[in-house]
Amino acid sequence: MSSRTQLHALAPVAVLVLLAAAAPLLAGAQPASPDPAADACANPSADGACHNVPKALRLKLIAIPTILVSSVIGVCLPLFSRYVPALRPDRNLFVIVKAFASGVILATGYMHVLPDSFNNLTSPCLPKKPWGDFSFTAFVAMLAALFTLMVDSLMLTFYNRKRSGNTSGRRAGAAVADHESPAHGHWHGHGDIVAAESAAVAKPEDDDEASKVQLRRNRVVVQVLEMGIIVHSVVIGLGMGASQSVCTIRPLVAAMCFHQLFEGMGLGGCILQAEYGARMKAGLVFFFSTTTPFGIALGLALTKVYRENSPTALVVVGLLNAASAGLLHYMALVELLAADFMGPRLQGSVRLQLLSFAAVLLGAGGMSIMAKWA
C-alpha cells in the first residue's frame, strides 16, 4: 500500500479525534444562569471526602502512562502472534481468541457506551422538551448502525471497482493473446482437455480473487472499527480528566486498563487479518493507544472550562456516545461475529463453534462486569 493511500485511510480517524476533542470547547460556552438548580447542574457540588483535587491529579497522572501501556500491549499482542505457531490466523486458537475479543467489543457498545448515552441525554439538567419526550439515544444509535452499513458497503464497492478496473485490461489482453495463438485452431478437437486445463487455471485465479476481496473487506472493517473505538476513548478519557472525585477515578483507572487491553486485542486481531504494511499498522496502533490518554490530558487542561453536567456537554457527549454505540454494535455483530460464525471454517466444526460461543460469552461477560466501575 502506498504512503498516499495509507494517509487517506488514516484521515477519517484523525478527523474523528478532532471532532471528539471539540466537545469540551462547545461545553464551555454556557451562559450564566440565575436558577440555582441550573447552577447545581453546571457546577456539581463537591463529593465530600471524595472531592480531593491533589489526589485526583495524582491519579490522573498515573492513569495516562498506565492506560497507554495497557493499550499498546493489548493491540500489539495479536500483531506479534504470528511468531507464536499456536496463535497464527490459520489455527483454531486464533479463532477462539478473536471470538473472545469480539465479545469484548460487543459488550463495550451495549454495556459501556450505550448506558452512558442514555444517562447523558436523560439527565435532569437537560430541558424535558425535546430530550425527555423522545429516545434520542436509540434513534442516533440506529442511524449510526445504518450509516456504518452504508459506509462499509460503499467503501468495499469502491475498492472492488478500483481493483477490477486494474485487472480487466490484463485479462482482456490475455484472452486476445490466447485466441490469436497458433494452438487455438487445434482446441476444437481436444475440448475435454482444454476444459480441464482451463478449469485448473481458473480455480487458482478465482481463489486468489476471493482472497483479495476478503482482504479488502478486512481493511474496511479495521478502519470503521477504529473510528468507533476512538470516539468512545476520547469521550471517556475526557470525563476522567475533568473529574475531581477520587472515588470515581481510582476504580476507573484499573477498569480502563483492562478495558483497553481486551479491546486492543480485538482491534489488533482485525489489523493482523488486514495485512497492512508496517507504517499503516504503526498509525493504527498509535491512534488507538493515545486517544484515551489524550482525552485525559485534554480534560486536565480544560478542567476549569469543561463542565460535564452543562447542557451542551451532556448533549454533545451523549450524541457521540450514541453514534459510537451504534457503530460498535454493527461492527461486532455483523463484521466480526456473524462473518466468522457463518463462515466455512466454523460451519465445518461444531466443536470449534461451541468453543467460540463460550469465548464470546466469556469476553462479553467479563466486560459487562467491568461496566460497574467503567
Side-chain angles (χ1 to χ4, degrees), residues 197-208:
E197 291 177 351
S198 300
V201 172
K203 192 174 191 302
E205 289 182 354
D206 292 342
D207 292 343
D208 186 55

Side-chain angles (χ1 to χ4, degrees), residues 20-316:
L25 301 179
L26 294 173
Q30 292 297 321
S33 172
D35 188 358
D39 289 339
C41 285
N43 299 290
S45 58
D47 299 333
C50 290
H51 187 84
N52 191 319
V53 176
K55 285 186 178 180
L57 177 61
R58 250 193 326 268
L59 287 173
K60 295 172 195 174
L61 294 178
I62 293 172
I64 290 176
T66 305
I67 294 175
L68 177 64
V69 171
S70 299
S71 302
V72 172
I73 292 174
V75 75
C76 287
L77 273 178
L79 301 181
F80 291 107
S81 66
R82 64 173 60 244
Y83 302 107
V84 181
L87 291 176
R88 287 176 181 170
D90 58 339
R91 300 299 179 90
N92 290 340
L93 184 59
F94 178 83
V95 176
I96 296 172
V97 172
K98 185 184 175 186
F100 173 84
S102 300
V104 168
I105 293 174
L106 182 66
T108 298
Y110 276 110
M111 298 300 298
H112 292 251
V113 187
L114 198 62
D116 287 346
S117 178
F118 274 113
N119 291 336
N120 290 331
L121 298 182
T122 58
S123 170
C125 298
L126 291 178
K128 184 173 178 57
K129 290 187 177 181
W131 304 105
D133 297 334
F134 186 75
S135 182
F136 282 96
T137 294
F139 181 69
V140 172
M142 177 187 68
L143 291 182
L146 293 175
F147 179 75
T148 306
L149 171 63
M150 183 184 70
V151 171
D152 188 14
S153 176
L154 290 176
M155 288 180 69
L156 189 60
T157 302
F158 171 76
Y159 283 139
N160 289 337
R161 285 188 176 181
K162 186 177 179 182
R163 292 291 182 180
S164 63
N166 293 335
T167 58
S168 60
R170 292 196 296 268
R171 289 183 178 177
V176 171
D178 289 342
H179 181 77
E180 294 178 350
S181 64
H184 180 73
H186 300 284
W187 284 5
H188 299 288
H190 306 282
D192 295 338
I193 298 175
V194 171
E197 291 177 351
S198 300
V201 172
K203 192 174 191 302
E205 289 182 354
D206 292 342
D207 292 343
D208 186 55
E209 184 62 28
S211 64
K212 287 181 180 178
V213 171
Q214 185 60 43
L215 180 61
R216 292 172 214 151
R217 188 168 188 80
N218 290 339
R219 291 182 174 179
V220 172
V221 168
V222 168
Q223 294 172 25
V224 178
L225 182 61
E226 178 121 348
M227 290 180 192
I229 291 175
I230 279 178
V231 171
H232 168 58
S233 297
V234 172
V235 168
I236 196 170
L238 179 63
M240 182 189 294
S243 176
Q244 302 295 353
S245 172
V246 178
C247 299
T248 301
I249 298 173
R250 186 181 288 116
L252 193 59
V253 174
M256 280 303 300
C257 287
F258 285 103
H259 178 280
Q260 292 296 104
L261 178 69
F262 293 131
E263 197 172 52
M265 289 173 61
L267 180 63
C270 295
I271 295 174
L272 179 64
Q273 290 185 313
E275 298 180 10
Y276 278 120
R279 184 179 299 180
M280 187 65 177
K281 286 180 181 177
L284 293 169
V285 169
F286 172 80
F287 274 110
F288 171 77
S289 303
T290 57
T291 44
T292 302
F294 168 75
I296 297 173
L298 188 63
L300 275 171
L302 301 175
T303 301
K304 295 183 179 180
V305 178
Y306 176 73
R307 304 171 186 176
E308 60 181 3
N309 282 347
S310 66
T312 304
L314 290 170
V315 170
V316 173

